[in-house]
Amino acid sequence: MSKIKKIGVFTSGGDSPGMNACIRAVVRTAIFEGLEVVGIRQGYQGMLDRNFWDMTARDVGNIIHLGGTILKTARCLEFKTPEGMSRAYENLKSHGIDALVAIGGDGTATGANLLSKKFGMPVMCIPGTIDNDLYGSDFTLGFDTATNTVIEAIDKIRDTAASHNRLFFIEVMGRDSGCIALRAGIAGGAEAVLLPERDTAIMELIEKLSDQANNKKTSIIVIVAEGDKNGGAYHVAERVKEKFDFYDSKVTILGHLQRGGSPSSFDRVLASRLGFAAVKGLLKGKDRQMVGLRGNVIVLTPLEEALNHPYFKLEEDLLEMINVLSI
Ligand code: F6P
């Protein structure tokens, strides 16, 4: 018999599509299993402010299709101090919370790991970020939806790029991760992709685009990840466009629209599986685990490993294909 009677669930860091579907899965699985559930609003900030919501199964009705997070989210510096973390723990305990499910990126998982190590409160983490930049899961929650949003935008830009013979630089999110840029580059048929994980010299890009122009391409799409070392789409465009006066050059920064929107079916199912598995894991006595998907199987990875394991998430075949399929 599990000693856990009441679990807290929260979202933290950047929101991502699918977080609501995941909250729903956590709340309903917990209630189905006879537990009480408390939603903690605004992540770690809500633990400090005692921003607690005793939830029922009805509180998560009609949210499976919504982007954002009904629990709100925040980035909280005070929680990182020893005093802040102790106060958060005391507030959780005084509300009767025995265990936590944290939904967010690496900052969220790092905080949950420290809290659990210091005070012995069981935690399960669910990788929720559009960046897909966590070890322990092939895909993070929201990545598929964000990539679909980007592709929809690229498709529209392609229409106008082709009509006007234009060279478009499209900047997508990913400060440290090129996952969105690479997938969107393949699925959107881009001519080149610039990624934070790989340095691309401007000369190399110019040579590549020249080859494509020589191959009679009348319009070109270059995807630039936000964290590319050349300094973003505007900088890249400034340095490249003068060499291509036969194309009209334009820049589009997609920005935060990539973070919102109704989650794809993939993200809704992933969210449901991860939330369900997190609660089941807690009931089996698991602690400090990242719940992830690997090869269509739900797996648990110790948080210590998930947070410290080196990883490279860009698929080698996709990296090679960008050059091959864009000739
Ligand atoms: O959630 C991840 C992410 O979208 C990154 O790709 C991006 O660099 C960052 O968040 C933006 O954060 P903020 O919303 O705080 O500007």
Side-chain angles (χ1 to χ4, degrees), residues 201-213:
I202 290 294
M203 266 322 288
E204 192 188 321
L205 178 64
I206 290 172
E207 277 167 26
K208 188 172 180 187
L209 300 185
S210 302
D211 288 347
Q212 291 169 341

Side-chain angles (χ1 to χ4, degrees), residues 6-74:
K6 193 188 267 196
I7 64 166
V9 57
F10 65 100
T11 49
S12 170
D15 61 325
S16 67
M19 281 184 163
N20 280 325
C22 192
I23 294 166
R24 172 181 178 270
V26 170
V27 170
R28 290 197 172 165
T29 307
I31 291 172
F32 184 89
E33 295 290 348
L35 302 175
E36 290 178 68
V37 197
V38 179
I40 303 163
R41 294 193 184 92
Q42 289 203 291
Y44 293 109
Q45 188 62 48
M47 294 182 196
L48 294 171
D49 301 340
R50 302 183 56 86
N51 200 345
F52 299 140
W53 174 10
D54 298 318
M55 298 182 88
T56 69
R58 294 288 69 74
D59 289 327
V60 290
N62 299 322
I63 66 166
I64 194 164
H65 61 304
L66 299 179
T69 158
I70 60 163
L71 291 178
K72 312 258 181 177
T73 184

Side-chain angles (χ1 to χ4, degrees), residues 1 7 11 15 26-27 33-34 104 110 119 125 150 156 200 208 214 221 227 231 238 254 260 267 289 297 300:
M1 270 291 281
I7 64 166
T11 49
D15 61 325
V26 170
V27 170
E33 295 290 348
T110 301
F119 299 105
C125 290
V150 172
K156 289 178 176 162
T200 308
K208 188 172 180 187
N214 291 337
I221 289 173
E238 274 311 308
L254 295 182
D267 275 328
Q289 304 286 317
V297 177
L300 301 184

Side-chain angles (χ1 to χ4, degrees), residues 13-15 75 129-131 173-176 180 226 256 259:
D15 61 325
R75 293 189 163 113
T129 163
I130 63 166
D131 287 348
M173 272 188 164
R175 209 166 12 218
D176 304 306
I180 292 180
E226 177 189 4
H256 283 79
R259 284 252 290 271

Side-chain angles (χ1 to χ4, degrees), residues 108-125:
T108 307
T110 301
N113 191 34
L114 289 175
L115 186 78
S116 176
K117 265 164 90 170
K118 196 160 171 191
F119 299 105
M121 178 172 282
V123 299
M124 299 295 266
C125 290

